[in-house]
Amino acid sequence: MVTRMFRYGIFLLGLVSSALADTDPCQADNHVIMNDPTRFTTYQTVQTSVRCDTDLVKQWYRIPFGSVATTPPPVYRCGTDQPVWIQPETLPATGESKLVTICLRTQSDVCAATGYIEVKNCGSFYVYELRQLNPDYCNLAYCLEADSSTKVLPFVTTSLVEGTTTIQGGNTFPSKTILFTCDLEYNTDVDPTALYYDVVWYINDQELKRLTDLSYSSFLSDGNLRENDWIEQHSLPMQVACAIEAKSGVSTGTGNFERSASFFAGFKAELSGDTLQENGELELAVRLTVPLGCMYAGTDNVQQYEEDNCFMDIRVVTPSIDTDQCTLGGVTNNAITFTPHICTVKIYHTTWNTTTVMKVHGAPDNIINSGHRSARIQLRSDFVPAHNVWENVFSEIIEVHVHDDDINIMGKQCHSSNDPHMKTFDGRPYELQRTGEFVLYEHEELSIAIHAYFQACEWGIPNAKCNCGIAIKNQNAVFRANFCKHSDGYNNIIEFNGCDEDAMTINAYRSLNTFGSGFEIILPSGTMVTFKYGSYVGNDVVFIHYIYIKPSILDWKTSQGLCGYLDGTTTNDFKKKDGSDTTDAMEFSESWKIVSGSSKSLFINPLETHSIPTTMIHEYCTCKDKDQISCSASPAEPCSSSDPSNAEDFTGYVDTCIRTFSKRDTDDQETVYFPQYPNEEESDDEDSEIPDWSGNWTEASATATCREFLRASPLIQICEQMIPGFDSEVYVPDCTKDVKLTGSTLFMESTLSLLQTACIAEAVRLENLTTESTANGSTILEDILSISCSNNCSNAGSCINGTCQCETGYGGVDCSESGSISPSLSQDRNMGLCDSSINVCSKIAISGRNFMRQQLTCKARRFKIMDSVVQMEGEPVIFSAIYVNAFLAVCKIPASRKRRSTSQNLPSGYKISLSNDGTTFSSEVISIIFDFKCFDCNITSMTCIEKTGDGCSQTVEDTLQTTAEDDSSGTNIAVGVTVVIIVLIIVIVLAVCIKKHYLKRPKIETIPEKNNFNLSTIDSSDLIIGAFPAAHTYPSEKPSWIPSGTSAYPDK
């Protein structure tokens, strides 16, 4: 019964692979030695210590002076009860690798059960891929048998030897070079000194060097392989082997050589695994198998010379399988990144045998792939100053598979919509009827955050709160859209402040004729932020309709804020700022509120990051071929999938980074300055009662109307069919609440827009939608995008990839705006006051509505104010506007219109209007330009009151000219002092020369003036002056919220 169990049982564990791995197991580095004397057939098993090979590591083994037993051993031998042996007739021929039959010896049968292992014949020896045995049949183990006919076993070792190196040009220098030695292991009872040796050296299986009849001492000194023996014919990397015949006397050889295993000479890159998770990591061990030498070009301090010159840079490259490109998920399709080295490993001569480890990270692509991605890794020597045999050396290519983890974030999204309805990443809904600044999202490891600002809605809707601002931060860089109300008007600005274009990827929603209405921002984590802004018909108040955040796999278990903790469960979403959990939505929300005036605020005016460049830690690098290195702050590398050839010269926002520049710089380098007021805080922020149903609305009718409206969208219909888990019903409750709150369908279009954004964000991340074709030949994704445009582009444009390309004369995101309609301007959205003591005020920012790019035109009428009387000057001037977005433009007053004021420095300014067609202009807004130290002006009454005090007689142009003249005077003084010094030197020299009766006329040369730039050279006309937010009277004293030393308010 036992025998039958064995005969039909499987006593091997693991899978047998008949395909040989890429690496050759005959090479010395690719097998291990098994020579435990208790494994041989001559060893009688001791029952107190019985071996069972259940934990044997599966790898290739070589048995010196022996083999795995090829005859049935007795039981209770080889340190086990039941030995395992090989049927010899199944062994492979020379150079062949095959599966051979192994047998289990029992008391009743010499081959009670069989199995298979891989064996390769390496010529003079075998290597065996031994695997663990089944513990159900213990005790059993592999058994070895000795070969007494073999005297020696050769193996290759390497070291450095001192000598000389001749370089190009014939110069010879002392050096340390590579030496290969054929070391020997002797069988029992062999006296090495009594033998003679024949030695043959091979490189890449080609015979290179042969030596015969060497005595033992000659063998030790001359039987090696030096660099000069092979450098002309071979180069690293290479396979080195030696063969030995040990014989009793001279010329007594039989030609029966024992050959060593091949020794790999080069460097190796060994990965700790072959499969990598997205956002996971493996270790890449880089090591040299032969020494790095050195050439000494004459130096006394050898140690210092070796540190400075005897090293090698090894560059990591990833030969592209496919061309790198930007995915629709907003990041590159690079499969792996590296840390902590910037794609280079430095190896020193003195520590050449030290292993250097790099981290290989799986890079998310924000795409749910149809299969796993692959990447290839290769190393090459990049810079070798002192050992030329290491130049241009490459490693073998390693392939790594990246397992797709983006499926974990499918359907995950956080949003704040309308009045506002909140939803965490894991799908937990709640209401946030609070005002002020809140943290929507923060990353626990990266310095990125998203804040939102809420205020009471401006349409007379009781109890409703609206999102008026969003700020997105990475390190010192902040992108901010602020439409919030302040004490005298509104902050209408969309700005990027950070001085580092790599801090985030910013894409404006656009059509052919207009920008505006929305932005998509990709953060270094791969997190995508989408928000849309605008106003409703009949109201000029701009607000943010919704904020939508699509996480990346890098947000998994690292997110916090109102978007909750992303881990796939809703039970712990309400994690407060202090890390504790709560079930109360208001308690949770209040913990993430930013205290007004706090340094943590991203709505501080001016921004604390103002003019401070972002100092991102770019520690994750993609190491492409052809010396292309790209680094980012996370394994994901944000990018833009838009076509660069279609890029416009505007972005939809204003760059407010302050950079120092001169008049010689171009318009592209101009700095934008926008003073802003703090957002208005509401003192009463208690919970309000939800109103009853008004008009003819009921819970049932509102729900039915919302459901019908959302599902009537063709885009939503196809998304529900093609995107797993996508369901418009999830948005119906929020839509119903909006109807109850407003008594109308006011917010319904915004809800649909949010639903469409969520649909597209999921669709572009499904790779199968980009590969599967429909009946008309297009992909499913192309069909989805072709119907994703708002309002079907109002039948005045074409929907291309989700964006309306409007016909000439139409604009807006849905092409519903006609160019014949004038822009809408109001003074309460335009600050209208500019300090001429610090700015020339030639660029005036205008805030309003319905701005269209193609023919946006400014008209400016100049005036001056004298004794509170407004006097118009000259004819109106008409010129092209600088378009920023649908709500913001800049009017740059032509140079011919910038007149110098009189010596009294009278206040002046412009009445400005805008037109979309150059003919029909809007109403005017006013901008008054005056010296804040000398006057107090009121924009409403257009009056100015002169202050008492000195120093008010010059305009800023006069000040700049005077400063320049002062600088020139300073230069003249410096030149004068220089001349005096030179004269004194001449007098001294003359006196000495006269005393020596030797006179020589000195030669005086003109010292060129240095081209120094200081504040006086800065063209203040290059500062754009914000015409908003509105302030009926600009404060004469610096507000308390402006930090001391801020340039906009000089300390008195």
Side-chain angles (χ1 to χ4, degrees):
M1 182 62 112
V2 173
T3 301
R4 190 179 306 116
M5 182 183 300
F6 281 135
R7 198 170 284 283
Y8 294 103
I10 299 175
F11 68 93
L12 283 167
L13 289 183
L15 297 176
V16 177
S17 174
S18 60
L20 189 63
D22 291 338
T23 55
D24 184 359
C26 292
Q27 296 177 15
D29 278 355
N30 299 329
H31 62 246
V32 296
I33 299 298
M34 178 181 282
N35 58 1
D36 187 341
T38 64
R39 277 193 179 272
F40 284 86
T41 56
T42 54
Y43 181 77
Q44 183 75 40
T45 301
V46 178
Q47 289 304 311
T48 57
S49 179
V50 182
R51 174 182 289 113
C52 190
D53 283 338
T54 58
D55 57 355
L56 186 70
V57 177
K58 179 186 175 182
Q59 56 188 342
W60 289 92
Y61 294 88
R62 179 184 176 184
I63 294 90
F65 303 109
S67 64
V68 174
T70 55
T71 57
V75 292
Y76 306 116
R77 293 293 179 96
C78 308
T80 189
D81 294 339
Q82 302 170 121
V84 175
W85 59 284
I86 288 178
Q87 291 182 352
E89 64 273 14
T90 64
L91 286 170
T94 300
E96 183 185 7
S97 178
K98 62 179 289 191
L99 294 175
V100 301
T101 303
I102 58 175
C103 289
L104 177 66
R105 174 62 190 265
T106 65
Q107 286 183 329
S108 59
D109 197 338
V110 294
C111 192
T114 59
Y116 302 94
I117 61 170
E118 190 87 18
V119 177
K120 183 172 183 181
N121 187 332
C122 298
S124 59
F125 61 92
Y126 291 100
V127 288
Y128 310 84
E129 189 183 40
L130 304 182
R131 297 176 292 117
Q132 58 184 267
L133 303 178
N134 196 325
D136 292 341
Y137 304 109
C138 280
N139 294 312
L140 70 170
Y142 296 100
C143 192
L144 311 181
E145 61 186 10
D147 179 8
S148 59
S149 64
T150 304
K151 297 179 181 179
V152 296
L153 284 180
F155 57 95
V156 177
T157 59
T158 183
S159 61
L160 286 172
V161 62
E162 293 185 359
T164 59
T165 297
T166 301
I167 63 174
Q168 189 174 4
N171 294 324
T172 301
F173 297 97
S175 62
K176 293 180 181 178
T177 56
I178 298 171
L179 179 72
F180 293 106
T181 303
C182 192
D183 282 344
L184 301 178
E185 183 177 349
Y186 294 89
N187 209 336
T188 308
D189 300 328
V190 174
D191 180 7
T193 63
L195 299 175
Y196 287 84
Y197 302 87
D198 291 345
V199 185
V200 182
W201 282 99
Y202 300 88
I203 291 184
N204 298 332
D205 289 329
Q206 297 179 4
E207 182 177 329
L208 181 71
K209 181 179 180 180
R210 181 181 289 263
L211 301 167
T212 59
D213 295 334
L214 297 178
S215 65
Y216 179 69
S217 59
S218 297
F219 168 71
L220 294 180
S221 61
D222 302 327
N224 45 48
L225 186 68
R226 295 176 178 267
E227 225 174 80
N228 290 335
D229 294 330
W230 55 268
I231 193 171
E232 297 296 331
Q233 303 176 54
H234 299 278
S235 59
L236 301 176
M238 59 190 186
Q239 298 287 343
V240 182
C242 65
I244 293 288
E245 182 179 14
K247 51 191 182 180
S248 58
V250 175
S251 302
T252 59
T254 63
N256 186 19
F257 283 80
E258 291 290 336
R259 182 166 171 167
S260 72
S262 294
F263 178 89
F264 176 77
F267 51 71
K268 285 198 168 186
E270 297 173 338
L271 207 57
S272 57
D274 58 5
T275 301
L276 181 61
Q277 301 292 124
E278 283 185 334
N279 199 29
E281 69 177 32
L282 294 174
E283 288 189 346
L284 177 66
V286 182
R287 64 183 179 89
L288 273 59
T289 64
V290 292
L292 172 64
C294 188
M295 182 176 63
Y296 302 87
T299 178
D300 294 331
N301 190 338
V302 173
Q303 181 177 352
Q304 187 62 48
Y305 181 87
E306 289 180 339
E307 291 178 1
D308 295 341
N309 298 279
C310 303
F311 64 86
M312 171 173 60
D313 287 341
I314 297 178
R315 170 74 190 279
V316 180
V317 295
T318 52
S320 298
I321 295 176
D322 298 310
T323 303
D324 294 333
Q325 59 185 351
C326 191
T327 71
L328 293 176
V331 297
T332 64
N333 66 343
N334 296 316
I336 56 176
T337 60
F338 296 87
T339 61
H341 310 276
I342 304 180
C343 301
T344 301
V345 174
K346 191 176 289 292
I347 306 293
Y348 288 94
H349 157 71
T350 54
T351 56
W352 68 268
N353 55 354
T354 301
T355 299
T356 302
V357 176
M358 301 179 70
K359 301 289 187 180
V360 183
H361 299 265
D365 63 351
N366 282 357
I367 298 294
I368 299 174
N369 306 112
S370 300
H372 300 315
R373 293 180 292 153
S374 295
R376 296 183 294 176
I377 303 172
Q378 189 175 34
L379 278 71
R380 72 162 185 254
S381 57
D382 203 40
F383 179 60
V384 191
H387 195 185
N388 58 1
V389 300
W390 276 107
E391 292 178 356
N392 226 15
V393 178
F394 286 80
S395 73
E396 296 177 339
I397 292 178
I398 301 174
E399 187 162 332
V400 58
H401 302 286
V402 180
H403 187 277
D404 186 28
D405 283 344
D406 288 305
I407 190 69
N408 292 332
I409 58 169
M410 184 176 180
K412 305 296 184 183
Q413 50 106 344
C414 168
H415 69 242
S416 167
S417 66
N418 296 340
D419 58 320
H421 311 299
M422 309 295 296
K423 184 180 179 182
T424 65
F425 284 133
D426 285 324
R428 186 168 183 173
Y430 64 101
E431 298 295 309
L432 179 61
Q433 297 299 323
R434 288 289 187 270
T435 60
E437 181 180 357
F438 291 83
V439 177
L440 267 184
Y441 157 88
E442 275 185 351
H443 197 282
E444 292 181 351
E445 298 173 2
L446 301 173
S447 183
I448 57 179
I450 303 169
H451 290 197
Y453 209 103
F454 304 101
Q455 289 183 337
C457 297
E458 288 289 310
W459 308 289
I461 303 174
N463 310 316
K465 306 296 188 296
C466 284
N467 192 328
C468 62
I470 180 175
I472 303 166
K473 171 184 175 291
N474 174 29
Q475 299 282 339
N476 291 326
V478 175
F479 181 90
R480 179 169 68 169
N482 188 4
F483 308 114
C484 298
K485 185 178 182 181
H486 60 79
S487 57
D488 291 302
Y490 298 88
N491 285 307
N492 274 18
I493 183 172
I494 304 175
E495 62 174 327
F496 176 65
N497 183 292
C499 304
D500 186 348
E501 61 183 14
D502 293 330
M504 57 189 76
T505 301
I506 305 170
N507 299 313
Y509 287 108
R510 62 184 182 179
S511 66
L512 185 63
N513 289 21
T514 183
F515 270 53
S517 85
F519 282 88
E520 177 188 88
I521 291 111
I522 311 295
L523 290 167
S525 59
T527 309
M528 184 191 75
V529 190
T530 303
F531 70 92
K532 287 193 175 181
Y533 63 92
S535 59
Y536 287 117
V537 177
N539 196 296
D540 286 341
V541 176
V542 180
F543 75 106
I544 295 175
H545 295 296
Y546 61 82
I547 299 172
Y548 173 92
I549 305 175
K550 178 64 182 177
S552 81
I553 194 62
L554 298 184
D555 293 313
W556 189 259
K557 296 185 178 180
T558 59
S559 68
Q560 56 186 2
L562 296 185
C563 286
Y565 184 68
L566 175 60
D567 65 348
T569 178
T570 60
T571 56
N572 58 357
D573 276 3
F574 287 175
K575 192 178 292 293
K576 298 193 298 182
K577 177 70 174 177
D578 61 8
S580 62
D581 292 327
T582 182
T583 58
D584 184 81
M586 286 301 104
E587 180 184 356
F588 163 66
S589 302
E590 286 294 331
S591 75
W592 291 104
K593 183 172 183 178
I594 301 296
V595 178
S596 179
S598 166
S599 62
K600 300 294 185 182
S601 173
L602 300 183
F603 290 88
I604 293 177
N605 301 304
L607 286 170
E608 288 189 350
T609 61
H610 210 58
S611 76
I612 302 175
T614 299
T615 54
M616 295 175 60
I617 302 175
H618 296 126
E619 61 178 26
Y620 295 87
C621 298
T622 57
C623 310
K624 302 180 180 68
D625 205 357
K626 299 180 181 179
D627 297 324
Q628 298 176 5
I629 299 176
S630 177
C631 299
S632 61
S634 78
E637 184 179 2
C639 60
S640 175
S641 58
S642 60
D643 185 356
S645 63
N646 295 329
E648 302 285 354
D649 57 354
F650 48 83
T651 59
Y653 62 89
V654 177
D655 184 352
T656 56
C657 168
I658 292 181
R659 303 172 178 90
T660 301
F661 55 91
S662 72
K663 295 181 180 180
R664 300 179 183 178
D665 291 325
T666 65
D667 287 342
D668 292 338
Q669 297 168 300
E670 293 181 0
T671 299
V672 181
Y673 167 64
F674 283 101
Q676 298 179 71
Y677 281 139
N679 294 338
E680 189 173 74
E681 288 277 341
E682 294 186 17
S683 57
D684 185 11
D685 203 17
E686 298 297 325
D687 290 332
S688 303
E689 294 183 3
I690 299 176
D692 292 330
W693 291 99
S694 59
N696 296 322
W697 290 107
T698 64
E699 181 85 27
S701 64
T703 300
T705 301
C706 286
R707 182 179 292 118
E708 181 181 357
F709 177 76
L710 297 179
R711 289 186 173 173
S713 166
L715 175 63
I716 301 307
Q717 292 173 15
I718 192 172
C719 285
E720 289 186 324
Q721 294 174 13
M722 303 307 303
I723 300 176
F726 188 86
D727 187 2
S728 62
E729 188 67 24
V730 176
Y731 294 79
V732 171
D734 287 348
C735 176
T736 303
K737 293 175 186 175
D738 292 333
V739 174
K740 185 175 185 180
L741 181 67
T742 63
S744 69
T745 60
L746 181 67
F747 288 154
M748 201 172 288
E749 184 71 36
S750 176
T751 302
L752 175 60
S753 180
L754 171 61
L755 184 57
Q756 291 172 333
T757 296
C759 163
I760 295 173
E762 296 296 333
V764 298
R765 284 165 168 76
L766 293 173
E767 189 176 51
N768 65 304
L769 299 187
T770 66
T771 57
E772 296 177 10
S773 298
T774 59
N776 59 11
S778 60
T779 66
I780 297 175
L781 181 61
E782 288 171 342
D783 282 358
I784 291 175
L785 294 178
S786 69
I787 58 174
S788 62
C789 291
S790 178
N791 227 11
N792 197 27
C793 299
S794 305
N795 295 318
S798 302
C799 185
I800 301 176
N801 289 333
T803 300
C804 285
Q805 303 294 315
C806 302
E807 297 173 358
T808 302
Y810 292 90
V813 291
D814 60 354
C815 303
S816 63
E817 300 174 0
S818 172
S820 61
I821 300 176
S822 300
S824 174
L825 306 182
S826 61
Q827 192 66 56
D828 66 348
R829 296 188 175 278
N830 292 275
M831 186 180 72
L833 301 173
C834 180
D835 188 352
S836 62
S837 68
I838 58 174
N839 297 293
V840 174
C841 304
S842 65
K843 294 184 178 180
I844 302 173
I846 304 297
S847 178
R849 294 180 64 240
N850 195 32
F851 295 173
M852 302 184 67
R853 181 181 67 87
Q854 282 189 327
Q855 299 183 56
L856 189 62
T857 306
C858 298
K859 180 166 68 175
R861 297 196 298 145
R862 181 178 170 82
F863 63 82
K864 66 180 179 181
I865 301 176
M866 182 178 295
D867 297 329
S868 295
V869 177
V870 178
Q871 298 180 4
M872 304 305 299
E873 293 185 336
E875 297 297 322
V877 59
I878 298 177
F879 51 94
S880 296
I882 300 173
Y883 180 90
V884 178
N885 56 46
F887 298 88
L888 177 62
V890 174
C891 291
K892 182 177 181 180
I893 306 299
S896 61
R897 300 296 301 174
K898 295 187 291 183
R899 299 181 180 178
R900 182 167 303 210
S901 300
T902 65
S903 59
Q904 295 180 352
N905 191 22
L906 294 176
S908 61
Y910 298 92
K911 293 184 177 182
I912 298 175
S913 57
L914 294 181
S915 171
N916 282 328
D917 59 8
T919 302
T920 305
F921 284 86
S922 67
S923 58
E924 294 177 320
V925 292
I926 298 168
S927 179
I928 303 177
I929 303 168
F930 62 99
D931 189 333
F932 284 21
K933 300 190 302 297
C934 304
F935 292 90
D936 275 329
C937 294
N938 186 289
I939 196 70
T940 303
S941 62
M942 291 188 66
T943 58
C944 295
I945 301 174
E946 187 172 2
K947 297 178 181 179
T948 59
D950 298 330
C952 297
S953 60
Q954 290 181 312
T955 65
V956 64
E957 290 98 330
D958 298 326
T959 303
L960 293 176
Q961 180 177 350
T962 302
T963 306
E965 291 172 353
D966 291 342
D967 290 344
S968 177
S969 299
T971 302
N972 293 335
I973 292 172
V975 173
V977 171
T978 302
V979 171
V980 170
I981 293 173
I982 293 174
V983 170
L984 289 175
I985 293 173
I986 293 172
V987 171
I988 295 172
V989 171
L990 285 173
V992 173
C993 292
I994 291 173
K995 185 175 181 180
K996 294 182 176 181
H997 303 286
Y998 184 82
L999 181 62
K1000 180 180 290 186
R1001 181 174 298 176
K1003 181 180 180 181
I1004 304 177
E1005 296 182 354
T1006 303
I1007 300 175
E1009 181 180 354
K1010 293 183 178 179
N1011 187 20
N1012 292 326
F1013 293 98
N1014 53 38
L1015 185 61
S1016 65
T1017 67
I1018 297 177
D1019 185 358
S1020 58
S1021 66
D1022 287 330
L1023 298 176
I1024 293 182
I1025 306 306
F1028 49 75
H1032 298 308
T1033 302
Y1034 206 104
S1036 58
E1037 297 297 328
K1038 180 173 63 180
S1040 59
W1041 51 269
I1042 296 292
S1044 176
T1046 302
S1047 59
Y1049 288 85
D1051 293 326
K1052 296 183 178 179

